[in-house]
Amino acid sequence: MSDTGANTAKAARPLSRGGPLDALRFFAAFFIVVYHYAEQAPVSLFAIHPAFGRGYLATDFFLLLSGYVLGRAYGSRVSAGQIHDGAFLIKRIGRVWPAHLVMIAAFVVLVLGTTALGMQPRNPQWYQWDQLPQQVFLIQTWGFQGPSGWNMPTWTLSALLVCYALFPTIWRMFGKIRSPWMALLVGAAVFVAVDVFSRQVFGMPSFHLHLKNGLYRAIPLFLMGVLIARMAREVVIGPRLADALAIFAVVGFVVLNVVGEYAYPSLVLLGLLIFAASGSAQNGWAWAKTGGRLSFSLYLTNQFVGAVWFALQRQLGQKIELHEAAHWAIWAMAFPAALVFAWLFERLVDAPLQDWIKPRLEKATAGWGGKRERNQAAQAMVTTLR
């Protein structure tokens, strides 16, 4: 098979740091930040070009990518019965929940502090105290009423907790379909069926849903990401073809969204981009390695940074008459501020928390073993008794 062809017999490239996957994780998180900060610009980016208003695609990309990463990292272990479903879920909760709690506490301190100083939140509907428990326990997408504000982007984490719980079952169920192409086709049919249901019941496509109906949006996209991961494991493409497909996907995505709103083709191209990343030989990008590490923290903290940054910008604008160029410059500086804060959060909060939590979760779930491990233990016991 040539370097540019596809081959189901080759071994898939292992996930590695500093490659296309880390780059994609960073860009997905950063595009979400752009979307969140767009309306705070002196002239809303949404008014400059409609493409800036399609931030839902960045979130959808994040959900696709989440399914892909889990499929590549844990799929083979699930197939081999080496992972206990409950232990897997607890470890995934342990990965996202502690850092989330720290940021929720930061929002509570911010709201209480600014209120004590006589500064009311610009969007008070986002900080309703009766919505806080849902945010704390990450259940705001499970059908609850209300705006579910506070740290708004965490609605995807709420939905992903359900996806994590479903992942082993999804992998095993679709593993019964022998062809990865047929499995992907079935997954696409599920996605379309949920989308049709969403349009009929909620009056909008599934990939526009969020907050209390976020599960209808997240699960099909996560499923597609998982199936792309299976495809990447079983249909291996050469590096040159992978890079060509990635360029095609990126250029096609940009052109489509400059021309108009083509959500389905855009999602297909994003899925193709993720698949292409699996075959690329590019690696060793220090910036991508750093960006991949920052992606979760950037996603988790950007709303907090934006709330503080733009509140300070408004206060400054009330005290000093600023030229429009100065407003643009201050607005633009919010992005490096978000990156710096995410870096500090990752180094000083998230990484130390994980260093403390991981060994304890490993110890707590050590006896839960996967099916193969339990079978081996049972066989060893039978041998001993004989």
Side-chain angles (χ1 to χ4, degrees):
M1 183 66 66
S2 69
D3 181 59
T4 60
N7 186 352
T8 57
K10 291 182 180 179
R13 291 181 178 275
L15 298 180
S16 60
R17 285 292 186 183
L21 182 61
D22 275 340
L24 291 179
R25 290 169 63 192
F26 173 73
F27 285 129
F30 189 78
F31 290 159
I32 290 172
V33 179
V34 173
Y35 177 67
H36 290 161
Y37 292 1
E39 285 196 294
Q40 303 295 334
V43 177
S44 172
L45 299 189
F46 301 159
I48 294 175
H49 195 283
F52 290 110
R54 298 183 197 124
Y56 67 88
L57 289 172
T59 302
D60 291 346
F61 184 51
F62 174 80
L63 293 167
L64 280 168
L65 200 56
S66 297
Y68 174 83
V69 171
L70 257 66
R72 289 297 308 277
Y74 297 102
S76 60
R77 295 172 62 188
V78 170
S79 298
Q82 296 174 344
I83 296 180
H84 184 279
D85 293 9
F88 173 80
L89 177 59
I90 287 176
K91 290 175 182 178
R92 296 313 303 169
I93 293 173
R95 175 65 192 96
V96 301
W97 198 35
H100 158 70
L101 289 179
V102 172
M103 285 311 304
I104 283 295
F107 270 98
V108 169
V109 171
L110 177 65
V111 171
L112 290 175
T114 53
T115 301
L117 294 173
M119 300 168 58
Q120 295 300 317
R122 189 177 187 184
N123 296 290
Q125 72 276 11
W126 290 358
Y127 306 108
Q128 296 183 23
W129 294 104
D130 63 346
Q131 299 294 310
L132 187 59
Q134 299 171 23
Q135 281 274 320
V136 168
F137 293 103
L138 286 175
I139 57 175
Q140 63 266 42
T141 59
W142 300 5
F144 291 94
Q145 297 294 327
S148 299
W150 294 92
N151 197 5
M152 186 76 71
T154 58
W155 75 263
T156 56
L157 296 182
S158 171
L160 280 173
L161 291 183
V162 177
C163 294
Y164 296 155
L166 294 174
F167 168 72
T169 301
I170 288 173
W171 188 269
R172 287 191 290 262
M173 181 183 300
F174 280 83
K176 295 177 182 179
I177 303 175
R178 297 187 60 182
S179 166
W181 298 98
M182 182 58 66
L184 193 66
L185 184 62
V186 173
V190 171
F191 178 89
V192 172
V194 173
D195 186 53
V196 171
F197 170 83
S198 174
R199 292 172 189 267
Q200 294 294 321
V201 175
F202 304 118
M204 64 178 66
S206 61
F207 43 80
H208 278 318
L209 295 172
H210 58 96
L211 300 182
K212 73 172 185 176
N213 296 316
L215 290 178
Y216 296 101
R217 177 180 179 181
I219 293 175
L221 287 163
F222 179 86
L223 168 64
M224 293 303 298
V226 170
L227 296 179
I228 292 170
R230 178 186 170 182
M231 179 72 70
R233 283 162 45 88
E234 299 183 30
V235 181
V236 182
I237 59 177
R240 284 186 289 178
L241 176 57
D243 292 341
L245 288 175
I247 293 171
F248 171 78
V250 171
V251 172
F253 179 82
V254 172
V255 170
L256 273 181
N257 283 278
V258 168
V259 172
E261 184 173 12
Y262 299 96
Y264 269 3
S266 292
L267 289 173
V268 170
L269 289 171
L270 291 176
L272 178 63
L273 178 59
I274 293 172
F275 173 74
S278 67
S280 177
Q282 304 294 332
N283 56 50
W285 299 335
W287 67 268
K289 183 177 181 179
T290 302
R293 287 178 59 91
L294 290 184
S295 58
F296 175 66
S297 293
L298 182 61
Y299 174 81
L300 196 61
T301 63
N302 76 87
Q303 196 85 343
F304 180 83
V305 173
V308 174
W309 187 272
F310 297 122
L312 292 175
Q313 183 178 4
R314 288 190 295 272
Q315 291 292 318
L316 181 63
Q318 292 172 4
K319 296 179 182 298
I320 303 173
E321 185 174 351
L322 297 173
H323 191 273
E324 184 178 3
H327 281 291
W328 276 106
I330 296 172
W331 173 81
M333 288 299 294
F335 295 97
L339 291 172
V340 169
F341 190 90
W343 182 82
L344 291 171
F345 186 85
E346 194 274 332
R347 290 299 178 91
L348 302 178
V349 178
D350 190 36
L353 275 174
Q354 289 303 304
D355 289 342
W356 186 85
I357 289 169
K358 281 183 178 179
R360 286 163 174 79
L361 288 182
E362 289 290 343
K363 183 178 180 180
T365 59
W368 294 18
K371 179 176 65 178
R372 172 173 290 183
E373 294 171 346
R374 293 195 300 272
N375 289 343
Q376 288 175 345
Q379 184 62 41
M381 183 176 292
V382 170
T383 302
T384 301
L385 291 175
R386 286 176 179 172

